Amino acid sequence: MLPVSPSRALAVCCLLSVVSPSHGDILSGVQLVTELSNSLVPKLFQALAPGRENLVFSPFGLTTNVAMLLEAANGNTAKEILKALNMSPESLPDLRTGFKVYCDTFEAAAENPEAAGSFNTALMVSSQSLLPSYKAILSKFYRANITETPRFDNFTGVHPAAVSLELRSDSGVMSHWKDYDQLAAFSFLSHETAAPFHRTSTDTIPVPMVPQVGEFRAGRVHQLNAHAVELPLQVGTVTLLLLVPDSADNLDELLVKLPAVSLQQLVQEWLPYSETSVSLPQLTIISSAINVTPFLRQLGIRSIFNATSGDLSAATVAPAVHVKSVTQDAFFSVSFTSVNSVGSASTNLVPKRLKRAATNLVVDRPFLFFVLHRDTQLVLLAGKVQNPTQVP
Ligand SMILES: *[C@@H]1O[C@H](CO)[C@@H](O)[C@H](O)[C@H]1NC(C)=O
Ligand SMILES: *[C@@H]1O[C@H](CO)[C@@H](O)[C@H](O)[C@H]1NC(C)=O
Ligand SMILES: CC(=O)N[C@H]1CO[C@H](CO)[C@@H](O)[C@@H]1O
């Protein structure tokens, strides 16, 4: 293969994107966004998991907000963000293409009544009007919802010189299990509806369990000392990956080992399809409102928060601009039809589903979950469950 210099690749890429992105550009854009976003997952767990029993967050929502800030930044502020993301400035066209493809995909999925209940939005509130060129980029590539709330100095009637930006993402998936009607029938016949859940090796609580049976990607991942299974959801664009440590005390170890593993590789290469039976706690509602501002500072993105040192001149001509906060709302819920509502007609579906399972997993200890884009393993949502009985 001929070596292609980065600058030449960029020139070709920009030429093509004037027409429309080629298949290759789309693939590399999607791969860039997937890697960038998924690389934040272990770091977000490290930062957010301590002190929270149950947690859900959206790495993709955060990555979208950070990319919107990168688009706003110039000079050293842009360099600081690129360094934190481990990204070269030449990748910006790929980044835009990747976000546009994902935003289009999630938007199309949200319009499909089957998938209603899956949403992902990036929002920005500015205390002054923003440059039209910046707003055009945000709406074209990031589908951002921009709110401008111009304030005036009421002595002089002019805009105050200082501008503040607030960024937020709002991501959630609310779904039935796939084929939930048939699973309810299975559960009616043979499933234990409650099981002891080991919150720690010494603390056990009884929790209601949901059965899943089928041909799933599943297996033990020795690199993580954990079991993994990918479960289908009725919202077809995403799947649910569970990582269950070997014992109740191994969750912290799992979090430490997570950075060494690519979820793409884990799902596509390490988990063979096999006849699988899983019992897991009902994930009725898990939701978090999280201030990710401290996380971004920790990542090395600092000057945007300081009106003196930050350069956000691509977003506004105001002499002093700073980011007030970056927050996110994340939500996950899987509803399950009560066993009592199963009609007798559906019980004849059961024999086919009672094949002997090669893998048998009872999720009776703290675990991690990931809502993944089905085809690329982009993590839309990630989280942990340590106390399944906790209701918000
Ligand atoms: C944009 O956000 C505002 C404030 O959250 C909301 O009221 C509005 O409906 C949103 N617009 C769109 C198009 O999503
Ligand atoms: C903001 O940046 C200026 C100039 O670099 C620096 O002097 C000041 O201490 C910073 N303020 C904060 C709160 O970090
Ligand atoms: C609170 C208040 O008086 N706000 C006014 C400040 O000035 C602007 C522009 O002159 C008005 O639109 C606001 O109503």
Side-chain angles (χ1 to χ4, degrees):
M1 221 168 76
L2 283 172
V4 181
S5 77
S7 61
R8 192 184 151 80
L10 180 71
V12 172
C13 174
C14 293
L15 255 176
L16 286 172
S17 63
V18 172
V19 192
S20 77
S22 73
H23 188 62
D25 290 341
I26 288 173
L27 288 184
S28 54
V30 164
Q31 186 61 19
L32 175 70
V33 171
T34 308
E35 279 170 11
L36 209 57
S37 185
N38 286 11
S39 74
L40 295 180
V41 173
K43 295 173 189 164
L44 280 160
F45 268 120
Q46 297 285 356
L48 305 175
R52 289 180 166 99
E53 279 202 304
N54 297 341
L55 164 72
V56 58
F57 58 86
S58 176
F60 180 69
L62 176 61
T63 311
T64 312
N65 280 166
V66 173
M68 288 159 63
L69 289 169
L70 176 61
E71 296 278 8
N74 278 322
N76 286 336
T77 302
K79 280 190 194 142
E80 190 187 70
I81 298 173
L82 289 167
K83 182 160 176 267
L85 298 178
N86 193 18
M87 198 186 118
S88 84
E90 286 78 29
S91 303
L92 189 61
D94 271 352
L95 192 76
R96 289 177 173 175
T97 303
F99 272 106
K100 185 172 186 313
V101 171
Y102 271 125
C103 291
D104 287 349
T105 308
F106 288 131
E107 228 170 60
E111 278 160 19
N112 172 357
E114 243 295 91
S118 159
F119 52 90
N120 181 75
T121 319
L123 301 101
M124 180 183 270
V125 178
S126 168
S127 67
Q128 296 300 347
S129 343
L130 299 167
L131 289 170
S133 53
Y134 181 59
K135 286 195 287 183
I137 287 171
L138 291 199
S139 80
K140 179 169 181 195
F141 299 107
Y142 306 94
R143 294 280 191 274
N145 176 342
I146 305 158
T147 311
E148 294 160 309
T149 53
R151 293 194 188 102
F152 297 91
D153 180 321
N154 280 37
F155 278 116
T156 61
V158 299
H159 292 301
V163 177
S164 71
L165 305 175
E166 291 164 68
L167 283 86
R168 199 180 94 207
S169 68
D170 205 349
S171 318
V173 169
M174 186 172 15
S175 177
H176 280 301
W177 296 108
K178 192 166 167 60
D179 301 333
Y180 61 97
D181 45 348
Q182 300 176 29
L183 286 160
F186 168 78
S187 135
F188 182 67
L189 287 187
S190 67
H191 184 65
E192 280 186 58
T193 49
F197 187 92
H198 306 276
R199 278 201 297 182
T200 65
S201 51
T202 53
D203 177 14
T204 302
I205 44 169
V207 303
M209 299 292 261
V210 177
Q212 293 282 311
V213 193
E215 186 87 4
F216 304 143
R217 280 169 155 149
R220 184 165 182 282
V221 181
H222 65 87
Q223 292 88 338
L224 296 174
N225 288 341
H227 293 267
V229 60
E230 186 194 39
L231 299 170
L233 295 173
Q234 196 78 3
V235 172
T237 42
V238 294
T239 62
L240 178 68
L241 176 74
L242 304 180
L243 286 185
V244 188
D246 287 344
S247 86
D249 293 332
N250 289 144
L251 193 69
D252 288 341
E253 183 199 333
L254 176 56
L255 289 176
V256 169
K257 289 186 167 167
L258 206 54
V261 163
S262 136
L263 292 174
Q264 250 174 344
Q265 187 181 34
L266 187 147
V267 171
Q268 293 179 7
E269 296 170 27
W270 297 350
L271 297 183
Y273 279 100
S274 65
E275 196 65 31
T276 304
S277 153
V278 185
S279 274
L280 74 155
Q282 301 198 32
L283 300 174
T284 318
I285 296 173
I286 302 169
S287 103
S288 315
I290 296 173
N291 180 3
V292 280
T293 314
F295 173 78
L296 291 177
R297 286 181 183 278
Q298 204 181 312
L299 206 62
I301 301 178
R302 301 205 177 94
S303 61
I304 52 167
F305 300 109
N306 182 333
T308 316
S309 59
D311 179 352
L312 297 171
S313 53
T316 163
V317 290
V321 198
H322 82 287
V323 175
K324 203 164 143 192
S325 63
V326 183
T327 58
Q328 61 171 242
D329 287 319
F331 174 89
F332 182 56
S333 136
V334 180
S335 55
F336 178 65
T337 306
S338 144
V339 173
N340 298 332
S341 70
V342 178
S344 58
S346 55
T347 49
N348 54 23
L349 292 162
V350 169
K352 193 176 128 248
R353 299 212 137 247
L354 281 177
K355 266 191 280 176
R356 191 167 191 79
T359 308
N360 215 318
L361 179 62
V362 180
V363 185
D364 59 358
R365 49 201 184 272
F367 60 96
L368 305 183
F369 67 88
F370 304 84
V371 178
L372 303 176
H373 187 271
R374 188 196 52 206
D375 302 323
T376 64
Q377 284 78 45
L378 171 87
V379 182
L380 179 59
L381 298 170
K384 71 161 182 175
V385 175
Q386 260 176 316
N387 186 355
T389 60
Q390 191 191 61
V391 276

